Amino acid sequence: MSTTVVVQQPAGVPDNRLKVTDIYGHRQWSTGLFDCFSDIKTCILGYFCLPCTLCNVASRTGECCCMPYCVQGGSVVLRSRIRTIGGIQGSACNDCMVLTCCGPCGVCQMQRELDNMGVP
């Protein structure tokens, strides 16, 4: 006859099954804001045709390619969406400041992040 000794009580199922990640994210951006020259193709496309790059980012995140231009603050929404998808730390205020002060670099960073995350 064997005796089973319980050393840990069974835990209940957490109530937050719908929560995917922590509110603050679990990582930083994979490239810096001013790492534009680490991906020359994105850098050149972002410099010479920023609207095309922004439309590409929108399409890759599942939005209409015209969304950044039809929705007020659309580029900020895209940046926040990428942060949510990737579990990246940050805030809406930070996203707004990046795109207001360094728009082309911010858009190129979003494009590089989608590449690094493997989003087609």
Side-chain angles (χ1 to χ4, degrees), residues 21-33 76 78-96 98 109-110 113 117:
T21 185
D22 187 26
I23 290 173
Y24 301 106
H26 62 273
R27 68 178 184 92
Q28 296 291 327
W29 290 87
S30 61
T31 61
L33 182 61
V76 176
L78 285 176
R79 190 168 174 88
S80 294
R81 184 174 173 101
I82 291 169
R83 279 193 311 98
T84 302
I85 292 169
I88 300 169
Q89 296 172 347
S91 67
C93 182
N94 187 337
D95 294 337
C96 184
V98 164
Q109 184 185 36
M110 293 189 302
E113 193 65 37
M117 287 192 299

Side-chain angles (χ1 to χ4, degrees), residues 10-14:
V13 178

Side-chain angles (χ1 to χ4, degrees), residues 4-86:
T4 304
V5 177
V6 177
V7 294
Q8 183 177 4
Q9 293 294 322
V13 178
D15 293 332
N16 58 356
R17 292 183 205 150
L18 298 177
K19 184 178 171 186
V20 176
T21 185
D22 187 26
I23 290 173
Y24 301 106
H26 62 273
R27 68 178 184 92
Q28 296 291 327
W29 290 87
S30 61
T31 61
L33 182 61
F34 301 110
D35 287 343
C36 296
F37 294 113
S38 66
D39 180 8
I40 297 299
K41 177 185 161 198
T42 300
C43 180
I44 291 172
L45 186 62
Y47 182 77
F48 288 107
C49 193
L50 187 62
C52 296
T53 305
L54 198 51
C55 285
N56 183 282
V57 168
S59 296
R60 292 176 72 186
T61 58
E63 296 291 341
C64 171
C65 65
C66 298
M67 188 278 272
Y69 303 104
C70 297
V71 175
Q72 188 172 7
S75 57
V76 176
V77 171
L78 285 176
R79 190 168 174 88
S80 294
R81 184 174 173 101
I82 291 169
R83 279 193 311 98
T84 302
I85 292 169

